[in-house]
PDB file of all heavy atoms in Angstrom:
ATOM      1  N   LYS C 156     -20.915  28.118  -1.821  1.00 98.00           N
ATOM      2  CA  LYS C 156     -21.418  27.125  -2.728  1.00 98.00           C
ATOM      3  C   LYS C 156     -20.249  26.035  -2.848  1.00 98.00           C
ATOM      4  O   LYS C 156     -19.486  26.122  -3.774  1.00 98.00           O
ATOM      5  CB  LYS C 156     -21.777  27.669  -4.076  1.00 98.00           C
ATOM      6  CG  LYS C 156     -22.973  28.590  -4.012  1.00 98.00           C
ATOM      7  CD  LYS C 156     -23.238  29.248  -5.379  1.00 98.00           C
ATOM      8  CE  LYS C 156     -22.155  30.290  -5.730  1.00 98.00           C
ATOM      9  NZ  LYS C 156     -22.501  31.035  -6.931  1.00 98.00           N
ATOM     10  N   VAL C 157     -20.217  25.170  -1.840  1.00 98.00           N
ATOM     11  CA  VAL C 157     -19.120  24.214  -1.740  1.00 98.00           C
ATOM     12  C   VAL C 157     -19.640  22.820  -1.814  1.00 98.00           C
ATOM     13  O   VAL C 157     -20.581  22.441  -1.165  1.00 98.00           O
ATOM     14  CB  VAL C 157     -18.289  24.407  -0.430  1.00 98.00           C
ATOM     15  CG1 VAL C 157     -17.166  23.474  -0.359  1.00 98.00           C
ATOM     16  CG2 VAL C 157     -17.835  25.834  -0.319  1.00 98.00           C
ATOM     17  N   LYS C 158     -18.987  22.008  -2.656  1.00 98.00           N
ATOM     18  CA  LYS C 158     -19.392  20.597  -2.890  1.00 98.00           C
ATOM     19  C   LYS C 158     -18.166  19.721  -2.710  1.00 98.00           C
ATOM     20  O   LYS C 158     -17.080  20.255  -2.565  1.00 98.00           O
ATOM     21  CB  LYS C 158     -20.005  20.445  -4.214  1.00 98.00           C
ATOM     22  CG  LYS C 158     -21.211  21.335  -4.484  1.00 98.00           C
ATOM     23  CD  LYS C 158     -21.796  21.141  -5.886  1.00 98.00           C
ATOM     24  CE  LYS C 158     -23.015  22.070  -6.129  1.00 98.00           C
ATOM     25  NZ  LYS C 158     -23.614  21.841  -7.467  1.00 98.00           N
ATOM     26  N   VAL C 159     -18.404  18.472  -2.632  1.00 98.00           N
ATOM     27  CA  VAL C 159     -17.329  17.469  -2.361  1.00 98.00           C
ATOM     28  C   VAL C 159     -17.253  16.405  -3.477  1.00 98.00           C
ATOM     29  O   VAL C 159     -18.274  16.041  -4.041  1.00 98.00           O
ATOM     30  CB  VAL C 159     -17.590  16.759  -1.029  1.00 98.00           C
ATOM     31  CG1 VAL C 159     -16.591  15.684  -0.783  1.00 98.00           C
ATOM     32  CG2 VAL C 159     -17.597  17.780   0.129  1.00 98.00           C
ATOM     33  N   VAL C 160     -15.995  16.076  -3.826  1.00 98.00           N
ATOM     34  CA  VAL C 160     -15.767  15.024  -4.820  1.00 98.00           C
ATOM     35  C   VAL C 160     -14.651  14.139  -4.307  1.00 98.00           C
ATOM     36  O   VAL C 160     -13.715  14.613  -3.668  1.00 98.00           O
ATOM     37  CB  VAL C 160     -15.483  15.645  -6.238  1.00 98.00           C
ATOM     38  CG1 VAL C 160     -14.129  16.464  -6.174  1.00 98.00           C
ATOM     39  CG2 VAL C 160     -15.419  14.599  -7.271  1.00 98.00           C
ATOM     40  N   HIS C 161     -14.746  12.891  -4.633  1.00 97.00           N
ATOM     41  CA  HIS C 161     -13.699  11.924  -4.063  1.00 97.00           C
ATOM     42  C   HIS C 161     -12.410  12.137  -4.822  1.00 97.00           C
ATOM     43  O   HIS C 161     -12.337  12.276  -6.061  1.00 97.00           O
ATOM     44  CB  HIS C 161     -14.230  10.506  -4.267  1.00 97.00           C
ATOM     45  CG  HIS C 161     -13.217   9.463  -3.749  1.00 97.00           C
ATOM     46  ND1 HIS C 161     -12.493   8.687  -4.610  1.00 97.00           N
ATOM     47  CD2 HIS C 161     -12.824   9.178  -2.480  1.00 97.00           C
ATOM     48  CE1 HIS C 161     -11.657   7.908  -3.877  1.00 97.00           C
ATOM     49  NE2 HIS C 161     -11.853   8.196  -2.560  1.00 97.00           N
ATOM     50  N   PHE C 162     -11.293  12.097  -4.027  1.00 97.00           N
ATOM     51  CA  PHE C 162      -9.985  12.241  -4.564  1.00 97.00           C
ATOM     52  C   PHE C 162      -9.016  11.441  -3.716  1.00 97.00           C
ATOM     53  O   PHE C 162      -8.972  11.620  -2.462  1.00 97.00           O
ATOM     54  CB  PHE C 162      -9.542  13.731  -4.549  1.00 97.00           C
ATOM     55  CG  PHE C 162      -8.069  13.904  -4.899  1.00 97.00           C
ATOM     56  CD1 PHE C 162      -7.601  13.704  -6.158  1.00 97.00           C
ATOM     57  CD2 PHE C 162      -7.266  14.361  -3.945  1.00 97.00           C
ATOM     58  CE1 PHE C 162      -6.258  13.905  -6.476  1.00 97.00           C
ATOM     59  CE2 PHE C 162      -5.877  14.611  -4.231  1.00 97.00           C
ATOM     60  CZ  PHE C 162      -5.357  14.376  -5.509  1.00 97.00           C
ATOM     61  N   ASP C 163      -8.230  10.546  -4.328  1.00 97.00           N
ATOM     62  CA  ASP C 163      -7.162   9.888  -3.651  1.00 97.00           C
ATOM     63  C   ASP C 163      -5.907   9.991  -4.518  1.00 97.00           C
ATOM     64  O   ASP C 163      -5.847   9.481  -5.627  1.00 97.00           O
ATOM     65  CB  ASP C 163      -7.538   8.370  -3.527  1.00 97.00           C
ATOM     66  CG  ASP C 163      -6.434   7.580  -2.789  1.00 97.00           C
ATOM     67  OD1 ASP C 163      -5.290   8.059  -2.630  1.00 97.00           O
ATOM     68  OD2 ASP C 163      -6.737   6.441  -2.421  1.00 97.00           O
ATOM     69  N   ALA C 164      -4.914  10.779  -4.043  1.00 96.00           N
ATOM     70  CA  ALA C 164      -3.772  11.125  -4.830  1.00 96.00           C
ATOM     71  C   ALA C 164      -3.033   9.893  -5.362  1.00 96.00           C
ATOM     72  O   ALA C 164      -2.300   9.935  -6.373  1.00 96.00           O
ATOM     73  CB  ALA C 164      -2.889  11.981  -3.997  1.00 96.00           C
ATOM     74  N   TYR C 165      -3.142   8.739  -4.640  1.00 97.00           N
ATOM     75  CA  TYR C 165      -2.408   7.575  -5.032  1.00 97.00           C
ATOM     76  C   TYR C 165      -3.186   6.703  -6.034  1.00 97.00           C
ATOM     77  O   TYR C 165      -2.658   5.697  -6.511  1.00 97.00           O
ATOM     78  CB  TYR C 165      -2.108   6.769  -3.750  1.00 97.00           C
ATOM     79  CG  TYR C 165      -1.222   7.507  -2.855  1.00 97.00           C
ATOM     80  CD1 TYR C 165      -1.705   8.351  -1.874  1.00 97.00           C
ATOM     81  CD2 TYR C 165       0.201   7.335  -2.877  1.00 97.00           C
ATOM     82  CE1 TYR C 165      -0.902   9.039  -0.970  1.00 97.00           C
ATOM     83  CE2 TYR C 165       1.005   8.000  -2.025  1.00 97.00           C
ATOM     84  CZ  TYR C 165       0.449   8.910  -1.091  1.00 97.00           C
ATOM     85  OH  TYR C 165       1.303   9.572  -0.205  1.00 97.00           O
ATOM     86  N   ASP C 166      -4.437   7.073  -6.366  1.00 97.00           N
ATOM     87  CA  ASP C 166      -5.243   6.301  -7.286  1.00 97.00           C
ATOM     88  C   ASP C 166      -5.266   7.063  -8.631  1.00 97.00           C
ATOM     89  O   ASP C 166      -5.940   8.126  -8.735  1.00 97.00           O
ATOM     90  CB  ASP C 166      -6.675   6.147  -6.694  1.00 97.00           C
ATOM     91  CG  ASP C 166      -7.598   5.381  -7.658  1.00 97.00           C
ATOM     92  OD1 ASP C 166      -7.181   5.031  -8.771  1.00 97.00           O
ATOM     93  OD2 ASP C 166      -8.735   5.077  -7.265  1.00 97.00           O
ATOM     94  N   ASP C 167      -4.603   6.538  -9.634  1.00 97.00           N
ATOM     95  CA  ASP C 167      -4.514   7.213 -10.920  1.00 97.00           C
ATOM     96  C   ASP C 167      -5.884   7.558 -11.523  1.00 97.00           C
ATOM     97  O   ASP C 167      -6.022   8.573 -12.185  1.00 97.00           O
ATOM     98  CB  ASP C 167      -3.656   6.407 -11.922  1.00 97.00           C
ATOM     99  CG  ASP C 167      -2.212   6.226 -11.463  1.00 97.00           C
ATOM    100  OD1 ASP C 167      -1.870   6.678 -10.301  1.00 97.00           O
ATOM    101  OD2 ASP C 167      -1.404   5.735 -12.251  1.00 97.00           O
ATOM    102  N   SER C 168      -6.857   6.705 -11.315  1.00 97.00           N
ATOM    103  CA  SER C 168      -8.138   6.899 -11.951  1.00 97.00           C
ATOM    104  C   SER C 168      -8.917   8.040 -11.389  1.00 97.00           C
ATOM    105  O   SER C 168      -9.791   8.601 -11.997  1.00 97.00           O
ATOM    106  CB  SER C 168      -8.985   5.605 -11.838  1.00 97.00           C
ATOM    107  OG  SER C 168      -9.310   5.358 -10.460  1.00 97.00           O
ATOM    108  N   CYS C 169      -8.527   8.484 -10.162  1.00 97.00           N
ATOM    109  CA  CYS C 169      -9.298   9.602  -9.475  1.00 97.00           C
ATOM    110  C   CYS C 169      -9.121  10.925 -10.156  1.00 97.00           C
ATOM    111  O   CYS C 169     -10.080  11.697 -10.064  1.00 97.00           O
ATOM    112  CB  CYS C 169      -8.820   9.733  -8.014  1.00 97.00           C
ATOM    113  SG  CYS C 169      -9.663   8.545  -6.876  1.00 97.00           S
ATOM    114  N   TYR C 170      -8.069  11.111 -10.815  1.00 98.00           N
ATOM    115  CA  TYR C 170      -7.860  12.449 -11.462  1.00 98.00           C
ATOM    116  C   TYR C 170      -8.883  12.777 -12.541  1.00 98.00           C
ATOM    117  O   TYR C 170      -9.437  13.768 -12.563  1.00 98.00           O
ATOM    118  CB  TYR C 170      -6.407  12.577 -11.940  1.00 98.00           C
ATOM    119  CG  TYR C 170      -5.371  12.489 -10.805  1.00 98.00           C
ATOM    120  CD1 TYR C 170      -4.869  11.287 -10.421  1.00 98.00           C
ATOM    121  CD2 TYR C 170      -5.024  13.615 -10.161  1.00 98.00           C
ATOM    122  CE1 TYR C 170      -3.990  11.176  -9.369  1.00 98.00           C
ATOM    123  CE2 TYR C 170      -4.114  13.566  -9.127  1.00 98.00           C
ATOM    124  CZ  TYR C 170      -3.594  12.294  -8.776  1.00 98.00           C
ATOM    125  OH  TYR C 170      -2.704  12.265  -7.669  1.00 98.00           O
ATOM    126  N   GLN C 171      -9.036  11.805 -13.433  1.00 98.00           N
ATOM    127  CA  GLN C 171     -10.030  11.979 -14.488  1.00 98.00           C
ATOM    128  C   GLN C 171     -11.462  11.925 -13.902  1.00 98.00           C
ATOM    129  O   GLN C 171     -12.321  12.720 -14.305  1.00 98.00           O
ATOM    130  CB  GLN C 171      -9.886  10.919 -15.537  1.00 98.00           C
ATOM    131  CG  GLN C 171     -10.720  11.163 -16.792  1.00 98.00           C
ATOM    132  CD  GLN C 171     -10.400  12.450 -17.505  1.00 98.00           C
ATOM    133  OE1 GLN C 171      -9.234  12.658 -17.910  1.00 98.00           O
ATOM    134  NE2 GLN C 171     -11.380  13.303 -17.695  1.00 98.00           N
ATOM    135  N   SER C 172     -11.671  11.043 -12.924  1.00 98.00           N
ATOM    136  CA  SER C 172     -13.069  10.894 -12.444  1.00 98.00           C
ATOM    137  C   SER C 172     -13.509  12.100 -11.686  1.00 98.00           C
ATOM    138  O   SER C 172     -14.656  12.499 -11.766  1.00 98.00           O
ATOM    139  CB  SER C 172     -13.137   9.620 -11.511  1.00 98.00           C
ATOM    140  OG  SER C 172     -12.377   9.779 -10.373  1.00 98.00           O
ATOM    141  N   MET C 173     -12.638  12.791 -11.021  1.00 98.00           N
ATOM    142  CA  MET C 173     -13.036  13.969 -10.198  1.00 98.00           C
ATOM    143  C   MET C 173     -13.426  15.090 -11.238  1.00 98.00           C
ATOM    144  O   MET C 173     -14.345  15.808 -11.017  1.00 98.00           O
ATOM    145  CB  MET C 173     -12.021  14.452  -9.212  1.00 98.00           C
ATOM    146  CG  MET C 173     -10.730  15.020  -9.811  1.00 98.00           C
ATOM    147  SD  MET C 173      -9.589  15.537  -8.481  1.00 98.00           S
ATOM    148  CE  MET C 173      -8.232  16.185  -9.487  1.00 98.00           C
ATOM    149  N   VAL C 174     -12.653  15.248 -12.295  1.00 98.00           N
ATOM    150  CA  VAL C 174     -12.946  16.249 -13.290  1.00 98.00           C
ATOM    151  C   VAL C 174     -14.242  15.871 -14.002  1.00 98.00           C
ATOM    152  O   VAL C 174     -15.068  16.698 -14.281  1.00 98.00           O
ATOM    153  CB  VAL C 174     -11.754  16.388 -14.281  1.00 98.00           C
ATOM    154  CG1 VAL C 174     -12.184  17.207 -15.501  1.00 98.00           C
ATOM    155  CG2 VAL C 174     -10.564  16.937 -13.626  1.00 98.00           C
ATOM    156  N   ASP C 175     -14.409  14.609 -14.345  1.00 98.00           N
ATOM    157  CA  ASP C 175     -15.688  14.178 -14.970  1.00 98.00           C
ATOM    158  C   ASP C 175     -16.892  14.480 -14.118  1.00 98.00           C
ATOM    159  O   ASP C 175     -17.945  14.932 -14.601  1.00 98.00           O
ATOM    160  CB  ASP C 175     -15.606  12.717 -15.270  1.00 98.00           C
ATOM    161  CG  ASP C 175     -14.645  12.293 -16.371  1.00 98.00           C
ATOM    162  OD1 ASP C 175     -14.240  13.235 -17.174  1.00 98.00           O
ATOM    163  OD2 ASP C 175     -14.281  11.156 -16.518  1.00 98.00           O
ATOM    164  N   THR C 176     -16.729  14.271 -12.794  1.00 98.00           N
ATOM    165  CA  THR C 176     -17.896  14.502 -11.899  1.00 98.00           C
ATOM    166  C   THR C 176     -18.251  16.007 -11.906  1.00 98.00           C
ATOM    167  O   THR C 176     -19.448  16.391 -11.951  1.00 98.00           O
ATOM    168  CB  THR C 176     -17.497  14.120 -10.438  1.00 98.00           C
ATOM    169  OG1 THR C 176     -17.248  12.694 -10.421  1.00 98.00           O
ATOM    170  CG2 THR C 176     -18.600  14.464  -9.477  1.00 98.00           C
ATOM    171  N   VAL C 177     -17.193  16.893 -11.831  1.00 98.00           N
ATOM    172  CA  VAL C 177     -17.524  18.318 -11.898  1.00 98.00           C
ATOM    173  C   VAL C 177     -18.151  18.677 -13.231  1.00 98.00           C
ATOM    174  O   VAL C 177     -19.116  19.492 -13.233  1.00 98.00           O
ATOM    175  CB  VAL C 177     -16.168  19.103 -11.741  1.00 98.00           C
ATOM    176  CG1 VAL C 177     -16.427  20.599 -11.953  1.00 98.00           C
ATOM    177  CG2 VAL C 177     -15.593  18.881 -10.305  1.00 98.00           C
ATOM    178  N   MET C 178     -17.668  18.166 -14.317  1.00 98.00           N
ATOM    179  CA  MET C 178     -18.251  18.498 -15.639  1.00 98.00           C
ATOM    180  C   MET C 178     -19.685  18.032 -15.761  1.00 98.00           C
ATOM    181  O   MET C 178     -20.578  18.701 -16.265  1.00 98.00           O
ATOM    182  CB  MET C 178     -17.367  17.886 -16.741  1.00 98.00           C
ATOM    183  CG  MET C 178     -15.989  18.531 -16.862  1.00 98.00           C
ATOM    184  SD  MET C 178     -16.113  20.265 -17.328  1.00 98.00           S
ATOM    185  CE  MET C 178     -16.709  20.157 -18.991  1.00 98.00           C
ATOM    186  N   GLN C 179     -19.985  16.824 -15.174  1.00 98.00           N
ATOM    187  CA  GLN C 179     -21.358  16.302 -15.272  1.00 98.00           C
ATOM    188  C   GLN C 179     -22.300  17.154 -14.416  1.00 98.00           C
ATOM    189  O   GLN C 179     -23.449  17.396 -14.805  1.00 98.00           O
ATOM    190  CB  GLN C 179     -21.328  14.863 -14.733  1.00 98.00           C
ATOM    191  CG  GLN C 179     -20.681  13.850 -15.668  1.00 98.00           C
ATOM    192  CD  GLN C 179     -20.371  12.527 -15.017  1.00 98.00           C
ATOM    193  OE1 GLN C 179     -20.724  12.324 -13.864  1.00 98.00           O
ATOM    194  NE2 GLN C 179     -19.640  11.666 -15.664  1.00 98.00           N
ATOM    195  N   GLN C 180     -21.808  17.663 -13.292  1.00 98.00           N
ATOM    196  CA  GLN C 180     -22.710  18.425 -12.422  1.00 98.00           C
ATOM    197  C   GLN C 180     -22.773  19.889 -12.733  1.00 98.00           C
ATOM    198  O   GLN C 180     -23.827  20.524 -12.546  1.00 98.00           O
ATOM    199  CB  GLN C 180     -22.225  18.228 -10.956  1.00 98.00           C
ATOM    200  CG  GLN C 180     -22.360  16.795 -10.475  1.00 98.00           C
ATOM    201  CD  GLN C 180     -21.980  16.647  -9.031  1.00 98.00           C
ATOM    202  OE1 GLN C 180     -21.936  17.624  -8.228  1.00 98.00           O
ATOM    203  NE2 GLN C 180     -21.874  15.398  -8.537  1.00 98.00           N
ATOM    204  N   GLU C 181     -21.671  20.451 -13.283  1.00 98.00           N
ATOM    205  CA  GLU C 181     -21.669  21.917 -13.530  1.00 98.00           C
ATOM    206  C   GLU C 181     -21.608  22.292 -14.992  1.00 98.00           C
ATOM    207  O   GLU C 181     -22.001  23.406 -15.346  1.00 98.00           O
ATOM    208  CB  GLU C 181     -20.470  22.539 -12.820  1.00 98.00           C
ATOM    209  CG  GLU C 181     -20.394  22.186 -11.333  1.00 98.00           C
ATOM    210  CD  GLU C 181     -21.492  22.728 -10.495  1.00 98.00           C
ATOM    211  OE1 GLU C 181     -22.101  23.741 -10.954  1.00 98.00           O
ATOM    212  OE2 GLU C 181     -21.849  22.122  -9.489  1.00 98.00           O
ATOM    213  N   GLY C 182     -21.124  21.419 -15.809  1.00 97.00           N
ATOM    214  CA  GLY C 182     -21.007  21.691 -17.218  1.00 97.00           C
ATOM    215  C   GLY C 182     -19.783  22.425 -17.616  1.00 97.00           C
ATOM    216  O   GLY C 182     -19.490  22.608 -18.804  1.00 97.00           O
ATOM    217  N   HIS C 183     -18.996  22.913 -16.609  1.00 97.00           N
ATOM    218  CA  HIS C 183     -17.738  23.590 -16.960  1.00 97.00           C
ATOM    219  C   HIS C 183     -16.796  23.574 -15.802  1.00 97.00           C
ATOM    220  O   HIS C 183     -17.255  23.497 -14.575  1.00 97.00           O
ATOM    221  CB  HIS C 183     -17.999  25.064 -17.336  1.00 97.00           C
ATOM    222  CG  HIS C 183     -18.695  25.870 -16.287  1.00 97.00           C
ATOM    223  ND1 HIS C 183     -18.081  26.772 -15.506  1.00 97.00           N
ATOM    224  CD2 HIS C 183     -19.997  25.879 -15.945  1.00 97.00           C
ATOM    225  CE1 HIS C 183     -18.926  27.359 -14.673  1.00 97.00           C
ATOM    226  NE2 HIS C 183     -20.137  26.811 -14.896  1.00 97.00           N
ATOM    227  N   LEU C 184     -15.536  23.582 -15.990  1.00 98.00           N
ATOM    228  CA  LEU C 184     -14.503  23.705 -14.988  1.00 98.00           C
ATOM    229  C   LEU C 184     -13.609  24.865 -15.368  1.00 98.00           C
ATOM    230  O   LEU C 184     -13.019  24.878 -16.456  1.00 98.00           O
ATOM    231  CB  LEU C 184     -13.657  22.432 -14.917  1.00 98.00           C
ATOM    232  CG  LEU C 184     -12.453  22.473 -13.961  1.00 98.00           C
ATOM    233  CD1 LEU C 184     -12.902  22.681 -12.512  1.00 98.00           C
ATOM    234  CD2 LEU C 184     -11.639  21.208 -14.106  1.00 98.00           C
ATOM    235  N   ASP C 185     -13.508  25.924 -14.522  1.00 98.00           N
ATOM    236  CA  ASP C 185     -12.790  27.154 -14.823  1.00 98.00           C
ATOM    237  C   ASP C 185     -11.482  27.197 -14.121  1.00 98.00           C
ATOM    238  O   ASP C 185     -10.556  27.825 -14.612  1.00 98.00           O
ATOM    239  CB  ASP C 185     -13.671  28.328 -14.402  1.00 98.00           C
ATOM    240  CG  ASP C 185     -14.985  28.310 -15.037  1.00 98.00           C
ATOM    241  OD1 ASP C 185     -15.085  28.457 -16.292  1.00 98.00           O
ATOM    242  OD2 ASP C 185     -15.988  28.057 -14.328  1.00 98.00           O
ATOM    243  N   ILE C 186     -11.325  26.542 -12.908  1.00 98.00           N
ATOM    244  CA  ILE C 186     -10.186  26.723 -12.099  1.00 98.00           C
ATOM    245  C   ILE C 186      -9.827  25.303 -11.496  1.00 98.00           C
ATOM    246  O   ILE C 186     -10.639  24.651 -10.996  1.00 98.00           O
ATOM    247  CB  ILE C 186     -10.393  27.678 -10.959  1.00 98.00           C
ATOM    248  CG1 ILE C 186     -10.851  29.011 -11.449  1.00 98.00           C
ATOM    249  CG2 ILE C 186      -9.158  27.818 -10.088  1.00 98.00           C
ATOM    250  CD1 ILE C 186     -11.618  29.820 -10.430  1.00 98.00           C
ATOM    251  N   LEU C 187      -8.530  24.954 -11.617  1.00 98.00           N
ATOM    252  CA  LEU C 187      -8.061  23.784 -10.957  1.00 98.00           C
ATOM    253  C   LEU C 187      -6.870  24.231 -10.066  1.00 98.00           C
ATOM    254  O   LEU C 187      -5.963  24.877 -10.519  1.00 98.00           O
ATOM    255  CB  LEU C 187      -7.545  22.720 -11.929  1.00 98.00           C
ATOM    256  CG  LEU C 187      -6.737  21.552 -11.265  1.00 98.00           C
ATOM    257  CD1 LEU C 187      -7.584  20.659 -10.374  1.00 98.00           C
ATOM    258  CD2 LEU C 187      -6.012  20.737 -12.360  1.00 98.00           C
ATOM    259  N   VAL C 188      -6.883  23.898  -8.774  1.00 98.00           N
ATOM    260  CA  VAL C 188      -5.737  24.014  -7.909  1.00 98.00           C
ATOM    261  C   VAL C 188      -5.132  22.692  -7.518  1.00 98.00           C
ATOM    262  O   VAL C 188      -5.761  21.927  -6.859  1.00 98.00           O
ATOM    263  CB  VAL C 188      -6.121  24.841  -6.637  1.00 98.00           C
ATOM    264  CG1 VAL C 188      -4.865  25.043  -5.752  1.00 98.00           C
ATOM    265  CG2 VAL C 188      -6.773  26.164  -7.015  1.00 98.00           C
ATOM    266  N   ASN C 189      -3.957  22.448  -8.035  1.00 98.00           N
ATOM    267  CA  ASN C 189      -3.231  21.225  -7.683  1.00 98.00           C
ATOM    268  C   ASN C 189      -2.467  21.496  -6.384  1.00 98.00           C
ATOM    269  O   ASN C 189      -1.343  21.951  -6.388  1.00 98.00           O
ATOM    270  CB  ASN C 189      -2.246  20.863  -8.792  1.00 98.00           C
ATOM    271  CG  ASN C 189      -2.903  20.355 -10.071  1.00 98.00           C
ATOM    272  OD1 ASN C 189      -3.759  19.486  -9.997  1.00 98.00           O
ATOM    273  ND2 ASN C 189      -2.556  20.888 -11.186  1.00 98.00           N
ATOM    274  N   ASN C 190      -3.151  21.180  -5.294  1.00 97.00           N
ATOM    275  CA  ASN C 190      -2.623  21.487  -3.923  1.00 97.00           C
ATOM    276  C   ASN C 190      -1.926  20.305  -3.311  1.00 97.00           C
ATOM    277  O   ASN C 190      -1.067  20.580  -2.418  1.00 97.00           O
ATOM    278  CB  ASN C 190      -3.763  22.044  -3.051  1.00 97.00           C
ATOM    279  CG  ASN C 190      -3.246  22.300  -1.627  1.00 97.00           C
ATOM    280  OD1 ASN C 190      -2.391  23.147  -1.408  1.00 97.00           O
ATOM    281  ND2 ASN C 190      -3.770  21.545  -0.722  1.00 97.00           N
ATOM    282  N   PHE C 191      -2.238  19.147  -3.706  1.00 97.00           N
ATOM    283  CA  PHE C 191      -1.690  18.028  -3.035  1.00 97.00           C
ATOM    284  C   PHE C 191      -0.155  17.967  -3.135  1.00 97.00           C
ATOM    285  O   PHE C 191       0.427  18.269  -4.182  1.00 97.00           O
ATOM    286  CB  PHE C 191      -2.256  16.649  -3.608  1.00 97.00           C
ATOM    287  CG  PHE C 191      -1.597  15.456  -2.988  1.00 97.00           C
ATOM    288  CD1 PHE C 191      -2.083  14.940  -1.802  1.00 97.00           C
ATOM    289  CD2 PHE C 191      -0.456  14.847  -3.527  1.00 97.00           C
ATOM    290  CE1 PHE C 191      -1.471  13.814  -1.197  1.00 97.00           C
ATOM    291  CE2 PHE C 191       0.137  13.752  -2.942  1.00 97.00           C
ATOM    292  CZ  PHE C 191      -0.359  13.238  -1.777  1.00 97.00           C
ATOM    293  N   GLY C 192       0.497  17.568  -2.067  1.00 94.00           N
ATOM    294  CA  GLY C 192       1.918  17.358  -2.053  1.00 94.00           C
ATOM    295  C   GLY C 192       2.313  16.605  -0.722  1.00 94.00           C
ATOM    296  O   GLY C 192       1.680  16.867   0.335  1.00 94.00           O
ATOM    297  N   THR C 193       3.312  15.834  -0.766  1.00 92.00           N
ATOM    298  CA  THR C 193       3.618  15.088   0.436  1.00 92.00           C
ATOM    299  C   THR C 193       5.156  14.930   0.532  1.00 92.00           C
ATOM    300  O   THR C 193       5.867  14.952  -0.462  1.00 92.00           O
ATOM    301  CB  THR C 193       3.002  13.698   0.447  1.00 92.00           C
ATOM    302  OG1 THR C 193       3.189  13.111   1.756  1.00 92.00           O
ATOM    303  CG2 THR C 193       3.503  12.822  -0.654  1.00 92.00           C
TER     304      THR C 193
END
């Protein structure tokens, strides 16, 4: 059960928007993995 949400590490607005998208579609967020690094 895999879905896609937009994320651009250099765009500050993306962090809140991706969480908002998950919450709108699922109603809850249980796990976040901050994997990005460069």
Side-chain angles (χ1 to χ4, degrees):
K156 293 176 287 185
V157 182
K158 303 180 181 182
V159 174
V160 63
H161 180 251
F162 170 71
D163 181 347
Y165 296 87
D166 181 354
D167 293 7
S168 66
C169 273
Y170 295 90
Q171 187 63 57
S172 66
M173 69 178 181
V174 170
D175 289 344
T176 297
V177 173
M178 291 297 290
Q179 290 164 8
Q180 295 185 12
E181 307 297 332
H183 59 104
L184 174 63
D185 306 290
I186 304 158
L187 169 68
V188 181
N189 288 310
N190 176 62
F191 177 85
T193 188

